[in-house]
Amino acid sequence: MNGPETLAGAMPGRPKSAGRAWPLAIEFLFRKAAALAAFLAAAALFATVLAIAYDSRLAIHTFGVWKFLKSSEWNPVTDTFGALPFIIGTLGSSAIAMILAVPISFGIAVFIAEIAPRWLKKPIAGAVELLAAIPSIVYGLWGLLVFAPAFANLEPWISQYLGSIPGIGLLFQGPPMGIGMLTAGIVLAIMVLPYISSIMRDAFMAVPSSLRESAYAMGATTWEVAWQITLPYARSAVIGGIFLGLGRALGETMAVTFVIGNSDMISASLLMPSATITSVLANEFTEATTKLYLSSLIYLGLILIAVTLVVQFLALLLIRRLGRREGVAA
Amino acid sequence: MRGMRQATEKKHRGLLLWTAIFVATLALGSTKLSWAESGGQSSAGNLTGAGSTWVYPLVAKWADAYKAKTGVAVNYQAIGSGGGIAQIKAGTVAFGASDMPLTPDALKSAGLIQFPTAVAGADMVYSLPGIGPGQIVLSGPAIADIYLGKVKYWDDAEIAKLNPGLRLPHTYITCVHRSDGSGTTFTFTNYLSKVSPEWKSKVGSNTSVAWPTGGVGGKGNQGVASFVQRIPGAIGYVEYAYILENHMSYARMYNSAGKVVSPSLQGFQDASGHVDWTTAQDFYVILTDQPGPDTWPISGCTWQILRKNASKAANMQVMKFFYWGFEDGQSMAKAIAFGPLPPSTVAAIKAYWQKELGYTI
């Protein structure tokens, strides 16, 4: 800006006609509004974290950080609280969800992008996307009333065959109740499937067809094209999609509360009931009668934010590293 | 760019297709659907309360009838007992409702008063193939030992002793509890604390506790009921209303008089009827394990909390509403498995209002 000029005159390279004044005023307002929107979002995050940290100060003061994280006692009667069972439940159920959802999403994306005939692409893509439109409470009810009873019939088989394998067999032992960490993981997997698969599919469809077609012309199979051409090309988008799904799985509340069994015992078996940070918050927030109890619940919320931030940070690191390796290879 | 736009268009067309199918299915199915009537809550209610979810069905039912009769709208928000206490302390509502009574000291320091509303009961439900409703008899100490993990199988000597002649299977007992903090849990654990010293010292009573066996937590009465029905050998505690509704296998219980009783409204009312409210300060009596030959042992009630320094007009409005419920709302209460307070208790409440507030109905 040089000197007191009119708004239109301040923009170099623009015709200095009076007719441009309005669009430029709008441009000015638009830029400010965009900045405001961005700052508001950042400020909301900052304010939320601050408020949660402030309200959990009593629990932080009483239990400290490390002691709260490693203690597995959650006893509202004696006002003793620890987060370990819920952190394990949160990470465990989300890990199961990702182990199931990522390969299936890959399959869906490859099918739609590479294999499916034109007339089938649309209905399948639409059906998968509609999964995202189902409210989580409906997933919870479905999980509790439909999936869990059916799964309970399968569990004796699981514990008989998988439970007898030395080592990992420990993960699959226990009474067939139909609910627990594994059920929660499966329901979560269905819930995050649409997010991961639609991002993967869009990324796969954006791969230049020249690349794909040259590979086919060289005699590559569908698997080779998907694994060696499409996936590396779309890698960063795919990883972004996976972490979006993971973020959702970590924060999902209602559906998990219904099917995880809500027990604060730490168990090696995935068939046993467990609890997540979000489920204990949803369950106990309304009736938390003492100040320390309430503060400890809010502290759990703070820990969930921290866990999510760590996961996001890891995602960023991973993408950077992969990008660098890609650059070296090329 | 063009390709991408085409791709999104395709995507949308797919979505549209499925939406159409879904809507069509719904349209076909909706002929069979009966829409739940929306609770007519007026936002311009001139009497507001908040708290316990347990008492919500009763207050809501009373409020509907009360509005039809007097035109006074009662807006009750079931935000939980903890929230109810906080709101009445802050003075944002005219009354708070809690499933756990406040101690006389806590009431005094916060300038509050409390009185009971209606009596309800919880009972044990179980799923054992071939054993129907009321066939199993349990005692308080036996239930405490089951939930402490000391009694692990249904054919344990402690259960068999209470059920001579009944063939009990060697089935593992899965203990089901409420995962959400609730007055039912408070009533249940308070009862166990009264009958089992070990429970009292190891676990105690609260709206949620650290369950010794871990067990399974169901959300709400419905969650507990469905887990118990699902898991063979499971035991759980639910409100009486859910037993009636779901036709569940319930246990009969030994009460403090040593008699075997079935859950009933009369049994809940007797729990209140045997309390000498005139000597109980601030109604600080929990109705579990009360004396009387027909008394149901796991009975509990919800307390309404008022502020002493609220205006007389505001408090009178609340008192009128509940007094009307005590007098005219009895059959409504019974219809949803709440036992109305006996006349002696209502008289004690009137006297309590006079003593604490200086005015009464």
Side-chain angles (χ1 to χ4, degrees):
Chain A
M1 304 252 173
N2 35 9
E5 280 181 281
T6 60
L7 192 63
M11 302 289 174
R14 304 234 185 222
K16 290 188 182 182
S17 70
R20 294 296 297 168
W22 267 115
L24 288 175
I26 289 170
E27 164 77 0
F28 174 80
L29 285 177
F30 173 69
R31 290 174 72 105
K32 293 293 173 221
L36 185 69
F39 279 117
L40 269 183
L45 173 74
F46 195 65
T48 309
V49 173
L50 262 184
I52 290 177
Y54 182 75
D55 279 338
S56 52
R57 68 195 184 283
L58 181 63
I60 297 174
H61 180 76
T62 311
F63 303 115
V65 176
W66 182 240
K67 201 179 143 214
F68 190 71
L69 288 179
K70 75 178 170 73
S71 162
S72 61
E73 192 181 358
W74 184 266
N75 192 335
V77 179
T78 58
D79 257 358
T80 324
F81 300 103
L84 189 64
F86 313 119
I87 296 174
I88 290 177
T90 300
L91 293 177
S93 56
S94 296
I96 295 170
M98 298 320 284
I99 288 170
L100 294 172
V102 169
I104 296 174
S105 299
F106 179 67
I108 293 171
V110 169
F111 181 77
I112 294 172
E114 303 281 337
I115 303 169
R118 286 182 66 91
W119 61 270
L120 201 56
K121 285 181 197 232
K122 284 178 245 162
I124 294 214
V128 173
E129 234 149 72
L130 265 192
L131 283 178
I134 298 174
S136 66
I137 184 101
V138 175
Y139 275 108
L141 287 171
W142 172 80
L144 179 67
L145 302 173
V146 181
F147 181 73
F151 195 60
N153 294 329
L154 193 70
E155 277 184 350
W157 185 88
I158 294 178
S159 45
Q160 191 185 340
Y161 290 97
L162 297 177
S164 56
I165 305 170
I168 67 159
L170 273 179
L171 293 175
F172 300 104
Q173 286 166 356
M177 294 186 284
I179 50 166
M181 180 104 85
L182 187 57
T183 311
I186 293 171
V187 172
L188 275 180
I190 300 169
M191 294 179 73
V192 300
L193 208 63
Y195 297 91
I196 305 177
S197 69
S198 66
I199 289 178
M200 275 192 184
R201 186 200 58 212
D202 284 352
F204 288 1
M205 305 257 263
V207 173
S209 47
S210 56
L211 270 182
R212 207 183 294 152
E213 274 157 23
S214 353
Y216 279 124
M218 305 268 294
T221 59
T222 311
W223 164 253
E224 283 165 342
V225 170
W227 192 249
Q228 293 174 8
I229 309 292
T230 316
L231 190 60
Y233 190 89
R235 186 178 273 148
S236 59
V238 166
I239 292 172
I242 290 173
F243 279 95
L244 180 72
L246 180 57
R248 233 190 103 77
L250 288 171
E252 176 48 45
T253 306
M254 225 49 222
V256 173
T257 307
F258 272 91
V259 296
I260 200 160
N262 301 304
S263 164
D264 54 10
M265 294 275 159
I266 300 170
S267 166
S269 171
L270 302 181
L271 303 186
M272 292 300 279
S274 176
T276 65
I277 294 176
T278 51
S279 75
V280 73
L281 275 173
N283 275 322
E284 299 187 9
F285 197 74
T286 48
E287 295 282 341
T289 33
T290 69
K291 278 188 183 128
L292 186 59
Y293 190 4
L294 195 63
S295 178
S296 300
L297 284 170
I298 296 168
Y299 194 7
L300 277 182
L302 188 66
I303 287 171
L304 183 63
I305 294 179
V307 167
T308 314
L309 286 180
V310 166
V311 164
Q312 298 271 5
F313 181 70
L314 287 179
L316 210 72
L317 272 187
L318 197 66
I319 291 172
R320 285 231 177 113
R321 266 187 82 177
L322 286 172
R324 202 174 303 148
R325 196 188 297 162
E326 202 92 309
V328 170
Chain B
M1 273 315 267
R2 210 191 129 102
M4 257 171 80
R5 190 175 303 153
Q6 262 175 359
T8 40
E9 265 168 26
K10 271 182 205 161
K11 203 164 71 188
H12 287 178
R13 241 175 275 158
L15 259 173
L16 269 177
L17 186 80
W18 281 99
T19 313
I21 293 172
F22 181 71
V23 167
T25 321
L26 207 70
L28 280 175
S30 65
T31 48
K32 287 180 191 166
L33 283 176
S34 66
W35 297 100
E37 54 184 306
S38 56
Q41 250 190 16
S42 131
S43 56
N46 38 15
L47 186 54
T48 54
S52 152
T53 47
W54 192 5
V55 82
Y56 173 73
L58 180 65
V59 175
K61 199 154 193 175
W62 279 357
D64 266 359
Y66 192 64
K67 189 179 181 196
K69 191 168 173 286
T70 64
V72 177
V74 181
N75 176 10
Y76 182 74
Q77 290 157 8
I79 58 173
S81 300
I85 295 170
Q87 297 289 321
I88 188 68
K89 276 186 182 164
T92 51
V93 290
F95 64 95
S98 172
D99 297 332
M100 255 165 92
L102 294 171
T103 61
D105 285 347
L107 286 171
K108 191 173 244 171
S109 67
L112 302 170
I113 64 163
Q114 69 185 2
F115 59 92
T117 317
V119 194
D123 190 16
M124 310 309 297
V125 289
Y126 53 85
S127 75
L128 283 173
I131 299 182
Q135 286 194 354
I136 283 188
V137 178
L138 292 171
S139 68
I143 297 170
D145 286 346
I146 290 171
Y147 274 82
L148 281 166
K150 288 162 76 184
V151 170
K152 287 189 163 60
Y153 292 91
W154 278 102
D155 57 353
D156 190 283
E158 199 173 344
I159 302 175
K161 192 177 71 191
L162 301 168
N163 296 280
L166 187 66
R167 190 184 293 268
L168 289 159
H170 185 68
T171 308
Y172 181 78
I173 306 177
T174 302
C175 299
V176 184
H177 58 82
R178 284 282 290 270
S179 64
D180 46 337
S182 89
T184 318
T185 300
F186 170 72
T187 306
F188 178 64
T189 52
N190 177 272
Y191 172 65
L192 295 185
S193 296
K194 279 186 184 168
V195 296
S196 160
E198 190 179 349
W199 184 274
K200 189 174 184 178
S201 64
K202 277 191 181 163
V203 186
S205 66
N206 203 333
T207 48
S208 23
V209 299
W211 299 96
T213 60
V216 181
K219 191 159 166 51
N221 281 292
Q222 193 55 53
V224 172
S226 73
F227 283 157
V228 169
Q229 283 170 323
R230 167 109 23 90
I231 305 166
I235 189 169
Y237 57 92
V238 294
E239 283 159 35
Y240 181 53
Y242 280 81
I243 298 176
L244 294 179
E245 218 166 88
N246 296 332
H247 308 289
M248 301 190 71
S249 294
Y250 61 87
R252 285 180 295 151
M253 294 273 302
Y254 275 100
N255 64 15
S256 66
K259 294 264 172 31
V260 176
V261 285
S262 289
S264 70
L265 286 177
Q266 190 57 51
F268 308 154
Q269 281 177 288
D270 281 7
S272 157
H274 284 88
V275 176
D276 184 4
W277 293 109
T278 48
T279 58
Q281 198 187 349
D282 290 318
F283 298 98
Y284 187 69
V285 175
I286 292 146
L287 296 178
T288 53
D289 203 36
Q290 292 297 321
D294 301 317
T295 298
W296 178 250
I298 322 176
S299 299
C301 76
T302 302
W303 285 260
Q304 305 300 333
I305 306 169
L306 297 180
R307 284 192 325 146
K308 269 188 185 178
N309 66 356
S311 73
K312 182 178 172 184
N315 274 347
M316 278 299 276
Q317 227 179 0
V318 178
M319 288 151 60
K320 270 184 195 154
F321 169 64
F322 282 105
Y323 191 75
W324 174 86
F326 297 151
E327 298 277 301
D328 296 347
Q330 298 200 1
S331 58
M332 272 177 265
K334 282 179 182 167
I336 49 174
F338 279 91
L341 294 176
S344 58
T345 312
V346 176
I349 292 173
K350 272 177 85 170
Y352 173 74
W353 285 338
Q354 181 64 49
K355 182 173 143 243
E356 292 294 328
L357 298 172
Y359 47 87
T360 191
I361 300 285

